[in-house]
Amino acid sequence: MTEPTLIEAAGGVVWRPGANGQREIAIVHRPRYDDWSLPKGKLKRGEHVLVAAVREVAEETCVRAIPQFPLPRIRYRSDGSPKQVNYWAMVADQISTFQPDSEVDGIAWLPVPAAIDRLTYQHDAELVRDWAGRPAVTGLVLLVRHADAGARWSERDGDRPLSQRGEADAAALCRLLALFDPDRLVSASVRRCQQTLAPLAERCDRSIEVGTVFDELTNDPDAAAAAVRAYAAAGNTTVICSQRTVIPPVLARLTGDPDRDWRTEKGDGWLLPYAGERPIAAVPLNTQRVRR
């Protein structure tokens, strides 16, 4: 017998500051099952899991949430078919008046112990415990490689613009990066890096700062890594666009893992959620899922 197709879903552990310094998380009530669960929903065809997670959280809770890092996937069977839910830790950014509907008719913001007690499913409770045991994120950096710019020029290569494909991929990358609502956009000086961030700058109404430390010609990974740490220490969300040979040694220094394969495709990149002086993870963005 053929195994039923895997159902992919996405959702979030969404938190906000609560009383007495406690964090509160959002859980939802579904009348169809009469249960309390974490907000989640199925992916649309071709949808990136992170896009789906933010969308489903907004639809079920009326909260615009900013993702911080991925949590362990949960797998179980739903109506006889295997189901995988990709969860992200998210911080509430804009909370609108909750609108109940036939799928979700209630929301509760609860401190972690109370949320764990009320959640219907053990796997949801375990996920909340996992999230609560991790260090709080103090800054986010997204380090990306420029989109396609065709063949390298023999002279004045820094002036090489994005190709038509590169422009499309930059727009797709922008849709993903915009979910993080970045405070700063930093680009290597070459034209193709600045063009890669241009759609994001327009969408988020941010200017693009030029950081020559992220240029291949500068060739100083220690200085580039120090710059990334400084952006993270500022407590903001920063998007940095750099080049092929710069990104791997910088990531190796930031993570202390020189043996990992840090090669990065054009128009792709990495999420670095910081807790203090070091990133707690280096998460591949896998932007191919948002290229249409």
Side-chain angles (χ1 to χ4, degrees), residues 87-248:
Y87 281 104
W88 278 73
M90 304 180 187
V91 59
D93 182 43
Q94 299 174 7
I95 302 177
S96 302
T97 303
F98 176 71
Q99 301 292 332
D101 58 30
S102 59
E103 291 190 15
V104 175
D105 64 355
I107 183 173
W109 288 94
L110 300 172
V112 169
I116 289 173
D117 286 344
R118 190 178 298 191
L119 284 166
T120 302
Y121 305 107
Q122 184 65 27
H123 55 71
D124 282 354
E126 289 299 326
L127 193 69
V128 172
R129 289 191 184 96
D130 180 286
W131 168 79
R134 300 186 185 218
V137 172
T138 55
L140 289 175
V141 175
L142 294 114
L143 180 58
V144 301
R145 183 182 173 190
H146 64 78
D148 182 73
R152 182 175 289 273
W153 293 355
S154 59
E155 296 181 4
R156 298 183 62 84
D157 188 69
D159 294 333
R160 179 158 46 104
L162 294 182
S163 65
Q164 186 174 6
R165 172 189 169 185
E167 290 177 348
D169 287 349
L173 176 63
C174 161
R175 291 194 291 272
L176 193 64
L177 297 176
L179 299 176
F180 295 89
D181 191 22
D183 302 287
R184 301 181 73 173
L185 308 182
V186 181
S187 171
S189 66
V190 297
R191 183 180 181 185
R192 54 193 178 273
C193 286
Q194 295 186 58
Q195 286 185 322
T196 297
L197 293 188
L200 182 62
E202 181 177 1
R203 182 166 183 163
C204 297
D205 192 23
R206 300 282 187 268
S207 60
I208 299 174
E209 307 170 33
V210 173
T212 57
V213 72
F214 299 109
D215 288 5
E216 282 184 337
L217 290 178
T218 302
N219 192 25
D220 191 342
D222 288 324
V228 172
R229 294 188 191 99
Y231 289 124
N236 299 318
T237 297
T238 303
V239 175
I240 301 169
C241 186
S242 187
Q243 299 179 265
R244 176 179 62 87
T245 63
V246 176
I247 294 173

Side-chain angles (χ1 to χ4, degrees), residues 23-61:
R23 294 182 293 179
E24 298 176 339
I25 66 168
I27 64 175
V28 296
H29 182 263
R30 300 184 300 175
R32 177 183 176 186
Y33 304 102
D34 190 23
D35 62 9
W36 285 94
S37 64
L38 297 169
K40 65 181 182 300
K42 296 177 184 176
L43 271 65
K44 296 179 180 179
R45 185 176 181 180
E47 189 175 34
H48 193 285
V49 291
L50 183 52
V51 174
V54 173
R55 175 183 56 77
E56 285 292 338
V57 164
E59 291 177 359
E60 294 200 345
T61 66

